[in-house]
Amino acid sequence: MSTSTTNTVDAVDAIVVGAGFAGMYMLHCLRELGLSARVIEAGSGVGGTWYWNRYPGARCDVESMQYSYSFSDKLDQDWEWSEKYSPQPEILAYANHVADRYDLRRDIQFNTRVTEATFNEAANRWIVATDQGDRIDAQFCIMAVGCLSAANRPPFDGLDDFQGPVHHTGEWPHDDVDFTGLDVAVIGTGSSAIQAIPIIAAQAKSLTVFQRTPSYTVPAWNEKMDPEYERDIKEDYPAFRAKARARPTGFYFPFNMESALDATPAEREHQYEEAWARGGLPFLGSYGDLLFETDANDTIADFARTKIRAVVDDPATADLLCPDNVFGCKRLCVDTNYYQTYNQPHVTLVDVSENPIERFTTTGVVTNGIDYKVDTAVFATGFAAMTGSFDKIKITGRDGLTLAEKWRAGPRTYLGLSTVGFPNLFMITGPGSPSVLANMIPSIEQHVDWMVDCMGHMRDVGAATIEPTLTYEDDWVKHVNEVAQVSLRSTCSSWYVGANIPGRPRVFMPYIGGFPIYVNKCNEVMTNNLEGFILKGAAKTTTAPRTRWTERWRVPLDMDIISPAAIAAKRVPVV
Ligand code: N01
């Protein structure tokens, strides 16, 4: 299905918004369940995040062998990743392979944006409207809109007058952007910028980086896939997946549960050096208390700053690049030659922390009274995280309540799966679930599997709607907030708390209690006859939910690492 311009109302069992990894897997499962479905996708192809983020250097910072679907061992065995960390084109190729392999495209309507979703209380169904004039009627409305999909484009004065091209990393053009011979501005120094800057610098005549807050970044030490490593994992991929799922992050890496404060300075130095040499996000697993005790965190932050100063030649530039906030409080970045880039004579770092960007001129960017002449600008300015994609759609539930109104003071959900007032509306990796704090693809699969069992159960018992109760939702929101308070992560101005964009409510949005505890909770709710939810219209109330899909998430938990006692003792390395 490519596009539609009909004004008639089509009816399906489920409408899915978004054809990224979440929407694709949901479609696959809905078909297996025997439900009819239509997926609406704004882009011209599948892949979601990996469709939109085509900026130079875009690459996943979760290892390739762990960043893929796990629902089919055959798929796992057939696909081969070429590098330790996959570049964006390869992940997009994988998404396309999956779409072809499972014949997904025939139920995906591309180049179409959902504009409104309205719950019709009389019919107990959703009516979804698109910018192509479609009106689709469905029992279930499933939001697979992504957590980092609504690009943040700061409205700088004069931007409309700027003569050169402006590209946001999250909405990158499909044609190659060639920076050869150009004076380039990059605004922002988060994960996207840190990947793009070394590549852009290699092409540009000059590169000026406008930095508001420096990030901590750890070298990726990316390399070609080691065939022996790949072979070992593929010998028993399900066991490897199970091991990963039992970790707070939903991906496997060695980590140390001991306290940084119990180690001597020499021991810490040794530990950090070894972890730095392995590189990537697992660096944060050097000790168990790094995200809980400020004194412990200071030790890793000091180590990271020493590494920056050892690489960057100019002391003033090195000072600017050294963060002074909690290490790992904002999302840790992973890089290839980021700091080295600032040793090149044509690369300039401009601090806009005290003197923000004032405006664009026709030919440049002005801050602190200085007009930096540039031919083109790259906005690496991030996203309205977690709720931004919901905000773009007018979602109206029972009694005319809109989701934007309900979430005005911050998102409220039960388990990050659904929200009171919006029956039969599911959100994949929604706020209140581990989502961005865990490996995204397992997070997606676990949510979809839970939802599919839930929808199957509703069919079994003849239920028309499902909706959480306010008490259970309130308790979950309280729990999400309490757990967040335990972590230093709740203390800084990150996108996790909506602080990157003026005017957004400050609430820690993802669930920080760890993936396995969360999965356990979801399983328990399912087993307890969907505890905390009200099913309306059910004819057979005694039938227990079948757990065809969720069964595979019942992995033995490593309770030393993820038990409530471990959380209370502040010994849960969360990445
Ligand atoms: O966005 P960001 P991102 N004036 O929000 C700055 C994932 N990801 O696209 O920190 C000047 O991190 C802003 O400054 P500040 C990953 O989860 C993963 O880089 O708000 N500057 C910041 O420096 C990541 O965390 C991968 O003070 C302004 C930058 O723009 C998430 O996506 C790769 C500004 C935005 O950084 C988002 O990363 C890429 C302004 N008005 C992304 N407004 C991998 O898997 C914002 N900034 C490797």
Side-chain angles (χ1 to χ4, degrees):
M1 188 179 297
S2 54
T3 56
S4 162
T5 52
T6 63
N7 283 310
T8 57
V9 179
D10 296 340
V12 286
D13 293 321
I15 189 100
V16 181
V17 188
F21 280 97
M24 289 167 65
Y25 181 54
M26 178 51 92
L27 173 59
H28 174 64
C29 292
L30 286 166
R31 283 184 186 165
E32 296 260 305
L33 188 65
L35 297 188
S36 61
R38 190 184 310 178
V39 182
I40 306 292
E41 166 56 50
S44 62
V46 296
T49 285
W50 301 102
Y51 169 92
W52 296 101
N53 285 266
R54 296 165 188 248
Y55 61 84
R59 180 183 293 283
C60 189
D61 57 13
V62 172
E63 282 191 20
S64 311
M65 295 304 288
Q66 309 201 44
Y67 193 80
S68 55
Y69 288 123
S70 64
F71 67 88
S72 159
D73 193 46
K74 183 85 173 69
L75 174 63
D76 265 348
Q77 294 299 330
D78 290 351
W79 186 262
E80 288 178 4
W81 298 105
S82 66
E83 296 178 55
K84 179 178 174 188
Y85 294 106
S86 296
Q88 173 270 334
E90 200 165 318
I91 303 173
L92 187 59
Y94 173 75
N96 277 293
H97 168 77
V98 172
D100 292 340
R101 188 174 177 128
Y102 297 98
D103 188 21
L104 297 179
R105 282 176 232 280
R106 69 184 152 85
D107 287 322
I108 306 176
Q109 183 172 327
F110 293 106
N111 303 305
T112 306
R113 269 187 191 280
V114 169
T115 50
E116 288 184 30
T118 309
F119 186 65
N120 174 354
E121 285 180 64
N124 281 329
R125 290 176 73 87
W126 284 88
I127 296 279
V128 170
T130 76
D131 64 355
Q132 300 299 313
D134 310 275
R135 281 171 63 77
I136 307 147
D137 167 280
Q139 182 182 7
F140 298 104
C141 180
I142 298 154
M143 306 300 287
V145 291
C147 298
L148 294 158
S149 306
N152 169 40
R153 287 178 176 266
F156 296 114
D157 284 349
L159 189 56
D160 288 344
D161 302 326
F162 180 63
Q163 288 169 356
V166 175
H167 302 300
H168 191 287
T169 50
E171 294 173 341
W172 202 259
H174 286 206
D175 302 331
D176 264 357
V177 179
D178 185 5
F179 293 104
T180 307
L182 298 180
D183 296 316
V184 184
V186 171
I187 300 173
T189 49
S191 295
S192 304
I194 279 174
Q195 291 186 324
I197 282 167
I199 316 280
I200 294 174
Q203 290 178 5
K205 183 166 90 184
S206 78
L207 171 61
T208 308
V209 178
F210 295 86
Q211 173 185 275
R212 190 163 70 179
T213 316
S215 297
Y216 290 103
T217 174
V218 179
W221 311 123
N222 186 38
E223 58 193 7
K224 290 277 165 242
M225 179 61 70
D226 174 354
E228 209 174 315
Y229 178 67
E230 184 184 359
R231 206 168 34 247
D232 280 354
I233 289 175
K234 284 190 170 178
E235 256 173 33
D236 194 352
Y237 224 138
F240 181 65
R241 300 283 196 192
K243 209 164 69 165
R245 282 177 202 152
R247 292 303 176 112
T249 51
F251 67 101
Y252 184 79
F253 58 89
F255 63 73
N256 175 15
M257 289 292 292
E258 287 161 21
S259 161
L261 301 175
D262 290 344
T264 65
E267 285 167 344
R268 275 199 302 265
E269 184 74 8
H270 180 70
Q271 174 75 358
Y272 289 144
E273 281 293 356
E274 276 196 352
W276 190 267
R278 286 195 297 271
L281 298 175
F283 182 63
L284 203 42
S286 297
Y287 287 104
D289 53 356
L290 295 172
L291 284 171
F292 300 100
E293 306 291 350
T294 307
D295 290 350
N297 194 279
D298 286 347
T299 65
I300 195 168
D302 283 345
F303 179 87
R305 285 188 285 263
T306 307
K307 285 290 183 194
I308 297 169
R309 293 204 165 92
V311 172
V312 180
D313 296 338
D314 173 42
T317 304
D319 277 350
L320 280 182
L321 287 167
C322 282
D324 62 0
N325 53 5
V326 169
F327 185 93
C329 196
K330 291 187 168 196
R331 172 64 147 68
L332 186 60
C333 304
V334 176
D335 74 278
T336 298
N337 294 329
Y338 177 63
Y339 293 121
Q340 290 80 347
T341 305
Y342 292 97
N343 292 336
Q344 300 176 37
H346 69 302
V347 179
T348 307
L349 183 64
V350 176
D351 175 20
V352 294
S353 60
E354 300 286 320
N355 300 291
I357 292 171
E358 285 164 32
R359 63 193 148 85
F360 272 70
T361 62
T362 52
T363 54
V365 181
V366 180
T367 171
N368 202 15
I370 303 169
D371 185 356
Y372 294 87
K373 297 286 176 205
V374 290
D375 301 307
T376 177
V378 173
F379 278 31
T381 43
F383 304 89
M386 304 214 64
T387 55
S389 299
F390 289 91
D391 294 343
K392 287 190 188 171
I393 303 169
K394 187 176 179 207
I395 302 172
T396 310
R398 276 194 294 109
D399 305 321
L401 178 71
T402 65
L403 193 66
E405 279 160 9
K406 171 160 181 183
W407 285 5
R408 183 147 293 148
R412 301 185 72 79
T413 68
Y414 181 39
L415 298 169
L417 293 164
S418 63
T419 186
V420 175
F422 298 81
N424 292 359
L425 180 86
F426 289 120
M427 34 196 102
I428 304 176
T429 65
S433 73
S435 60
V436 289
L437 292 177
N439 190 356
M440 281 311 291
I441 299 189
S443 292
I444 285 167
E445 288 185 299
Q446 183 264 337
H447 261 192
V448 170
D449 287 345
W450 191 95
M451 291 168 192
V452 175
D453 269 341
C454 176
M455 288 184 273
H457 176 65
M458 289 175 67
R459 190 177 55 185
D460 288 347
V461 300
T465 62
I466 184 167
E467 186 183 345
T469 71
L470 194 54
T471 310
Y472 275 80
E473 179 172 292
D474 286 349
D475 285 352
W476 183 252
V477 170
K478 190 163 158 251
H479 174 63
V480 170
N481 289 332
E482 276 171 2
V483 182
Q485 294 315 310
V486 175
S487 166
L488 293 174
R489 274 234 167 100
S490 62
T491 61
C492 69
S493 303
S494 65
W495 57 254
Y496 294 127
V497 297
N500 59 326
I501 296 177
R504 301 195 90 207
R506 278 218 178 197
V507 177
F508 196 87
M509 291 183 280
Y511 177 60
I512 208 168
F515 187 65
I517 284 188
Y518 172 81
V519 172
N520 230 17
K521 178 73 189 166
C522 290
N523 288 345
E524 187 186 293
V525 166
M526 181 67 72
T527 311
N528 292 343
N529 237 327
L530 291 162
E531 184 182 355
F533 289 95
I534 294 171
L535 273 68
K536 281 205 178 138
K540 295 178 251 170
T541 47
T542 51
T543 311
R546 282 183 286 176
T547 52
R548 174 180 163 194
W549 270 272
T550 40
E551 200 53 53
R552 73 185 177 110
W553 298 96
R554 291 180 195 281
V555 293
L557 302 181
D558 187 343
M559 292 309 281
D560 284 348
I561 296 168
I562 51 81
S563 70
I567 293 179
K570 303 183 176 181
R571 292 284 182 279
V572 187
V574 178
V575 172

